[in-house]
Amino acid sequence: MKVEYVNPFFKATNEVFNLMLSVETEKGELSVVEDMVSSKEANVVLGVTGDLRGNILFSFPKEMALEMVKIMSGMEMNEIDSFVSSALGEVANIIGGNAITNLSENNYTCDIVPPQIFVGQYKSLSMASGKALLVPLKTDIGQLDLHIFLKE
């Protein structure tokens, strides 16, 4: 997977977390995942179309998802309900939009499709596209996993 289309998603995630949540992200050790990927309690899938095709999977632990929504809304949440799911989907949508803008700087013309949100404990997902790059992102409020499944 090329750095030209991995870095725009990392950069966009870092910028959105910094601006919306006042949270810094630190990139962990990258790895390649084949077939099934482990998910956490709250997962958002963004489809990518155009010069690059595939999906971006944002996987959040429950506590982190709830803390993100608390920071954004000022409301204490106890469960991942439709409000929390919607907020996570919107964060992923903003990250995706920013990443698409970043990709255009590398001469890729792409678009994103509306996010799909999956809530559940420790499930495995298959993106049916072979290999993915796992980018773990550490923050003060938890660690999210960013799975990048993209092909030219």
Side-chain angles (χ1 to χ4, degrees):
M1 211 167 289
K2 293 183 181 177
V3 70
E4 291 87 4
Y5 52 87
V6 170
N7 278 345
F9 285 93
F10 168 70
K11 179 181 175 187
T13 304
N14 190 46
E15 289 171 351
V16 169
F17 269 66
N18 192 305
L19 289 171
M20 288 183 68
L21 306 170
S22 298
V23 172
E24 295 290 327
T25 61
E26 179 185 332
K27 193 179 338 181
E29 189 173 326
L30 306 180
S31 62
V32 175
V33 179
E34 294 189 50
D35 300 325
M36 303 293 281
V37 297
S38 296
S39 66
K40 297 184 178 184
E41 290 93 346
N43 305 281
V44 182
V45 178
L46 273 183
V48 178
T49 61
D51 292 342
L52 300 175
R53 295 175 314 284
N55 295 291
I56 308 299
L57 169 64
F58 299 87
S59 200
F60 303 94
K62 178 181 177 181
E63 295 76 23
M64 181 178 189
L66 297 176
E67 185 62 23
M68 287 170 62
V69 174
K70 179 181 174 185
I71 292 168
M72 291 187 298
S73 70
M75 298 182 342
E76 190 77 41
M77 306 300 291
N78 296 317
E79 292 299 322
I80 301 174
D81 58 11
S82 60
F83 181 80
V84 173
S85 296
S86 178
L88 293 175
E90 191 53 37
V91 169
N93 218 19
I94 294 167
I95 291 169
N98 290 358
I100 295 302
T101 300
N102 294 339
L103 283 168
S104 70
E105 295 169 6
N106 292 323
N107 298 315
Y108 289 103
T109 302
C110 299
D111 203 357
I112 55 173
V113 298
Q116 295 178 314
I117 297 106
F118 300 93
V119 176
Q121 192 169 17
Y122 303 110
K123 300 193 185 318
S124 293
L125 300 173
S126 172
M127 300 312 251
S129 59
K131 296 179 182 177
L133 182 67
L134 168 60
V135 183
L137 298 173
K138 300 172 187 172
T139 74
D140 289 341
I141 60 171
Q143 178 178 308
L144 72 129
D145 290 336
L146 179 61
H147 291 89
I148 302 173
F149 301 84
L150 291 175
K151 292 182 180 180
E152 289 191 54

